[in-house]
Amino acid sequence: GRMGEEFLELITANVDDDATRLVFSDWLDEQGETERAEFIRVQVQRASLPPWDAAQVGLKIREQELLTEHGETWLKEMPEIPGVRWEGFRRGIVAEVAFVNFEAMRASAHACRAIAPIEAVRVSWPRRRESTENAPPIAELRELILTGPRPMDDGEVSRFANSPQLATLRVLKASGLDANELGQLTANLYHISPTG
């Protein structure tokens, strides 16, 4: 319903705000969507606890149960966007997306970010003919995962290293890099707080 959409718009506009997510979970409870409500609370709680906290164990088990039972259904509710696959959740809301290639990311990132609080993106390395120039950055993107063989030459890697998209990242995972190139990419991420 409209109310649910309004909650999602608020959450999408305020990625880091857990309060809105928890109010949404209360509202879902009232609508009888108790498992979805619980899923949001479980993931929000897990994200707020340090990884070594004993409570993580039970929460993770419950999270997996809910995902196994409903994850696919919840992901299927997301709008279809060409070249985009909705992949997972952060703090209870769909926030992980995969693009078929860099062109799709450039074309559809904005549309995805308009309807979901995107925190993690998976995409294959840009192909030679795919420019990484002028790719509009996704606001608040936390994690970028580059997969597959790396077709870029060193010059392209250093250009990519200066992409505004890298400025918001906390996590960068990239296959096919040597130590020197990894250094180039991470030189731009020096202000990032180290993650566990």
Side-chain angles (χ1 to χ4, degrees):
R2 186 67 205 125
M3 187 78 171
E5 283 167 35
E6 280 176 19
F7 269 119
L8 288 170
E9 281 166 23
L10 264 177
I11 288 166
T12 298
N14 305 285
V15 175
D16 292 325
D17 178 34
D18 284 338
T20 313
R21 294 174 192 240
L22 294 171
V23 175
F24 181 43
S25 75
D26 292 341
W27 180 81
L28 286 168
D29 263 335
E30 290 162 20
Q31 308 308 303
E33 292 192 50
T34 52
E35 291 189 304
R36 194 165 195 166
E38 184 190 358
F39 179 67
I40 294 173
R41 286 193 288 267
V42 164
Q43 280 208 325
V44 166
Q45 199 180 346
R46 277 202 68 202
S48 71
L49 291 170
W52 58 86
D53 193 293
Q56 287 277 9
V57 180
L59 288 167
K60 187 167 176 57
I61 289 168
R62 186 60 185 139
E63 176 187 45
Q64 283 311 124
E65 287 170 355
L66 290 164
L67 274 176
T68 303
E69 203 174 329
H70 304 284
E72 284 300 305
T73 312
W74 293 337
L75 288 172
K76 280 200 186 85
E77 289 170 8
M78 296 300 288
E80 279 191 40
I81 298 176
V84 171
R85 198 170 63 245
W86 301 101
E87 291 214 315
F89 305 81
R90 297 282 168 106
R91 287 174 296 135
I93 308 294
V94 176
E96 297 175 8
V97 69
F99 295 101
V100 289
N101 54 28
F102 240 77
E103 290 299 329
M105 178 162 150
R106 179 145 59 269
S108 304
H110 197 73
C112 292
R113 183 61 189 84
I115 54 173
I118 306 285
E119 290 187 55
V121 160
R122 198 158 59 82
V123 64
S124 53
W125 275 103
R127 292 194 183 80
R128 286 198 186 285
R129 54 182 176 68
E130 286 184 318
S131 155
T132 59
E133 311 269 314
N134 313 324
I138 303 173
E140 292 97 20
L141 186 67
R142 303 290 188 244
E143 187 171 323
L144 180 63
I145 302 156
L146 294 165
T147 62
R150 176 180 74 77
M152 288 178 154
D153 60 40
D154 294 355
E156 288 173 299
V157 170
S158 58
R159 254 206 319 283
F160 181 62
N162 292 313
S163 140
Q165 185 56 80
L166 299 190
T168 60
L169 295 183
R170 293 177 187 164
V171 179
L172 173 68
K173 296 177 184 164
S175 61
L177 284 178
D178 64 34
N180 179 34
E181 291 163 337
L182 197 57
Q184 277 188 330
L185 285 176
T186 50
N188 277 2
L189 313 180
Y190 65 87
H191 60 281
I192 289 177
S193 55
T195 50

